[in-house]
Amino acid sequence: MNDRYNVKETETRWQGVWEEKKCFEVTEDPSKKKFYALAMFPYPSGRLHMGHVRNYTLSDVVARYKRANGFNVLNPMGWDAFGLPAENAAMENQTHPSKWTYQNIAVMKNQMKMMGLAIDWSREVSTCAPDYYKHEQKFFLDFLKNGLAYQKEAFVNWDPVENTVLANEQVVDGRGWRSGAVVERRKLKQWFLKITEFADDLLEGAKQLTGWPEKVRIMQENWIGKSQGLQFHFEFEGAAPAKTLEIFTTRPDTLFGASFVAISPDHPIAAALSEKDKGVADFVAQCRTLGTSEAVLETAEKIGFDTGLKVKHPFIKDATLRVFIANFVLMEYGTGAIFGCPAHDQRDLDFARKYDLNVIPVVIPDGTAGKDFAVDMEAYTGPGRLYNSGFLNGMEVEEAKAEAIRRIEKAGMGQGTTLYRLRDWGVSRQRYWGCPIPIIHCDACGVMPVPEKDLPVMLPEDVHFSTPGNPIYNHPTWKNTTCPGCGKPAQRETDTFDTFFESSWYQFRYADPKNPNKGFDRDKVGYWAPVDQYIGGVEHAVMHLLYARFFTRALKKCGYLDFDEPFTALFTQGMVTHETYKDSAGKWLYPVDVKKVGEKFVHAATGEAVTVGRIEKMSKSKKNTVDPVEILETYGADAARLFILSDSPPERDLEWTESGIEGAWKYLNRLWRLVTNADFSGKGGDTEILRRKIHKTIHEMTLDLERFHFNKAVARMREMSNALEDFAAAKGDGVVLREGIEALVRLMSPMMPHIAEELWQELGHKTLLVDEKWPVADESLLANDTVTIAIQVNGKLRATVTLPKDLGQADAEKAALAEAGVQKAMEGKSPRKIIVVPNRIINVVV
């Protein structure tokens, strides 16, 4: 028997068998429980990185495990194929974005197949294909009919290098997320989707997403930003471009502490003043060199321009407030105007100190005397009672808010209202490699939708990227067409969709990827969707996930779907990290260029000393990357998968080390020798102890895989293999040894599928392991390790569950909430608290 496992030959062979037998291709089967496992699809950059390998390994373990448990598992893959990088590559490499993209897809697909992923490749989609984007053009026209899409002029973030609009989320520290260029503010006519119509629904829906990480739900809630407040108007004193100035505030209790009013540089009053005053116009132009995102404005230096205008204070007779134009006030939020209370808002305080304005504390902490309280350079934002505030004095903050609103409403100056931080989604992009927006502009008829029979509106092939700006707009003929209404000459819309448009609905296309007539069949989507387990990076917590949730609701409103949420459960994996290295000149080095000699690190080629830096996320800029293809070719997919799963919990960062992957490879060879050298003729050994170990491992690994405790599952698998090695060395009973080895091979199958399949055959089986059922623990052998616990909802028994003894609070809560009877009794509500009495009872209070 060979002592060394032939990884290359084995992995290639089994990948071929699975593909030939179409093991992972699925169709709808109402007689089976479905499970939809989905990893976020990649941008086809041309090469997998280790983050991809980790992401797809995690989703593959889930898909294989669920398949073994009898589920009809959909596990598809596709390509998020539109975007500016392809245009940049076209310019750099003198090629067409389409050719560059499809070449990259072919390379990356081959690399993915080397991983042995249980993917249904018959459902592959590419978002840049006309048979994909044809349907999203139809969706857009339906959104237009249903009042969910519209066009308006708006201030946007303009990337002067990439010559396109960026979403606020794509502006990082005032710069374009890809180009790094300083973002400017411009006013352009843009297409928008009315995500704000669903703001409350998106907020309430997030509370029900119990299968999502709490941090992601909070990030979405904060981005939507529901605020209860007061909208009212100040009256101008003396001559002004308007009689009143509308303000929205969430802190009407602090009105007595107001010391100035500020308007956005984009406010109509600022525009009116700019026409007459060059100083105002120059200041507004200076402000527009910043982007429109709140994050940028928060970090920028707070500057203002005194307009000379004044407004009357609504509560203090004869008091007035100076009106500034300020760079930190957004026109897109509220009314584009604020009042500043420096004592209780840090931004306002910074501004007041810069321009020597009054700082009047009006909320003081409980137990503090007003005369002893002052604000210097740090605003007080905590709770307390009102002070220096006339009729509000002595009230607590919430009581004072209500009273201030009541007084303003009584005076007819405004009313209490709700506002959202969320803005409508601007989907227009001034670039070539995106889905054309299916609109025609006619001088006579106005904005006209492209007739459905003329979809898809396809991109022109003969474009050039040498001229700055949008290649579609610059094309000599493409935009020229006829109006579908009057037949006169007209022009096509030359903007293309934001690429988040494509990734907002791809999960539904997978359910019916070849349908030529519509994006998907309602019944097929009804069978597969929503996605049961979605896996991807937390960097998509706001943009992609929020847009996909909105898109699902918009499709429902247009009659395509009958559910609201696209992803039932979400898992966000940690990053893959590596040490960083620099040579003597301070230049970054790739890990492959570095070797360890004794306790020192040197340049592999020159022998010069190398400086070892921090462990950081793998990135091209710091060259601390490892090529997945080299790993797969050297150690094989199973070793890479095993290391990824074993070295840290999947939600945490994973440090990639050479010793780690070598250790995984050595363990695979140990497993190979354990099984292929096994002697099943023995008669000795304590069979009871080993059988308890076998079934305890089955039980605990099952729970681990259900809970994404993959590193724990690997640890238990290693413990079991150690026990089997000891039992085999002692010539233990062959029947029990075979029982244990077969159980071990079945348990390792989701994590290391190639070697598991090979060992299954070595054990004499003629069936494919991938078609075998997941092993079931004999509960009679778990008596000392598990307890049966009653689960109550509001004091009423709703389920019982068998769990490991002394299970931790968090795991016990998760297990309780996963029970169908508990979910039914909760009726979609979130638990207020969960009481766990260890080893006895769990009570869910809703």
Side-chain angles (χ1 to χ4, degrees), residues 232-233 235 405-415:
F232 72 106
H233 63 259
E235 291 183 3
I405 291 172
R406 190 187 70 79
R407 296 257 184 159
I408 290 288
E409 289 179 339
K410 185 177 180 181
M413 298 175 66
Q415 60 184 12

Side-chain angles (χ1 to χ4, degrees), residues 688 691-693 695-696 739 778-785:
E688 182 69 13
R691 292 200 75 229
R692 284 189 180 278
K693 181 67 176 177
H695 288 271
K696 179 183 178 182
E739 178 188 0
D778 183 339
E779 292 200 11
S780 68
L781 295 170
L782 305 177
N784 296 328
D785 300 305

Side-chain angles (χ1 to χ4, degrees), residues 388-701:
N388 282 333
S389 296
F391 55 81
L392 299 178
N393 279 342
M395 295 182 183
E396 291 186 351
V397 168
E398 293 305 315
E399 182 186 4
K401 285 181 182 179
E403 180 60 20
I405 291 172
R406 190 187 70 79
R407 296 257 184 159
I408 290 288
E409 289 179 339
K410 185 177 180 181
M413 298 175 66
Q415 60 184 12
T417 189
T418 300
L419 202 67
Y420 297 90
R421 180 176 179 268
L422 182 68
R423 304 270 69 82
D424 279 340
W425 175 13
V427 295
S428 296
R429 297 293 181 268
Q430 295 69 41
R431 60 172 173 238
Y432 168 71
W433 196 234
C435 172
I437 298 177
I439 291 294
I440 293 170
H441 299 279
C442 173
D443 289 340
C445 303
V447 172
M448 298 292 289
V450 171
E452 188 177 342
K453 66 179 178 60
D454 294 336
L455 300 180
V457 176
M458 294 176 63
L459 292 167
E461 289 289 323
D462 55 335
V463 287
H464 301 283
F465 300 93
S466 55
T467 305
N470 182 355
I472 305 179
Y473 182 82
N474 293 334
H475 192 282
T477 59
W478 182 86
K479 59 180 174 286
N480 299 326
T481 186
T482 55
C483 174
C486 66
K488 294 179 180 178
Q491 288 205 333
R492 295 189 186 281
E493 174 64 67
T494 57
D495 284 355
T496 53
F497 284 132
D498 178 6
T499 54
F500 283 110
F501 203 104
E502 283 85 54
S503 59
S504 291
W505 72 280
Y506 79 113
Q507 65 276 5
F508 304 135
R509 182 62 173 173
Y510 282 139
D512 192 14
K514 308 301 182 190
N515 194 325
N517 301 315
K518 48 189 175 181
F520 46 80
D521 177 81
R522 188 187 182 101
D523 290 339
K524 289 183 178 181
V525 165
Y527 175 80
W528 289 115
V531 173
D532 296 285
Q533 183 65 64
Y534 198 33
I535 300 176
V538 73
E539 66 271 18
H540 298 292
V542 174
M543 284 189 287
H544 162 58
L545 290 170
L546 189 62
Y547 293 154
R549 294 182 63 220
F550 153 72
F551 217 91
T552 305
R553 285 161 168 79
L555 288 173
K556 179 183 178 182
K557 182 171 182 177
C558 295
Y560 286 94
L561 302 169
D562 57 6
F563 54 89
D564 292 325
E565 295 293 346
F567 314 116
T568 301
L570 170 70
F571 188 86
T572 54
Q573 82 277 5
M575 298 181 294
V576 183
T577 64
H578 199 289
E579 284 181 332
T580 50
Y581 308 104
K582 284 185 177 179
D583 64 14
S584 56
K587 294 181 179 179
W588 298 108
L589 295 172
Y590 287 106
V592 72
D593 296 327
V594 177
K595 68 178 182 179
K596 193 173 184 181
V597 179
E599 294 302 312
K600 295 182 179 179
F601 288 84
V602 299
H603 195 295
T606 66
E608 290 184 354
V610 166
T611 302
V612 180
R614 292 188 306 176
I615 296 168
E616 298 189 37
K617 176 188 175 184
M618 286 187 179
S619 68
K620 292 179 182 177
S621 61
K622 295 183 179 177
K623 296 188 176 180
N624 64 332
T625 57
V626 174
D627 186 350
V629 174
E630 290 184 9
I631 296 296
L632 295 173
E633 289 178 343
T634 304
Y635 297 100
D638 285 345
R641 292 165 67 115
L642 177 63
F643 177 51
I644 278 169
L645 294 168
S646 63
D647 207 55
S648 72
E651 67 275 12
R652 296 184 190 168
D653 291 351
L654 165 73
E655 183 190 355
W656 187 269
T657 63
E658 192 70 18
S659 60
I661 184 64
E662 287 179 354
W665 164 242
K666 288 176 182 176
Y667 180 64
L668 257 69
N669 280 279
R670 272 183 60 196
L671 290 172
W672 175 254
R673 290 191 294 272
L674 168 65
V675 178
T676 57
N677 295 337
D679 180 0
F680 298 122
S681 64
K683 300 294 182 184
D686 190 331
T687 59
E688 182 69 13
I689 290 177
L690 183 61
R691 292 200 75 229
R692 284 189 180 278
K693 181 67 176 177
I694 293 167
H695 288 271
K696 179 183 178 182
T697 303
I698 293 171
H699 176 73
E700 291 180 338
M701 279 189 67

Side-chain angles (χ1 to χ4, degrees), residues 7 197 231 234 277 317-318 561 594 742:
V7 59
E197 181 170 310
Q231 187 157 331
F234 285 107
D277 188 324
K317 189 176 180 182
D318 298 329
L561 302 169
V594 177
E742 292 204 350

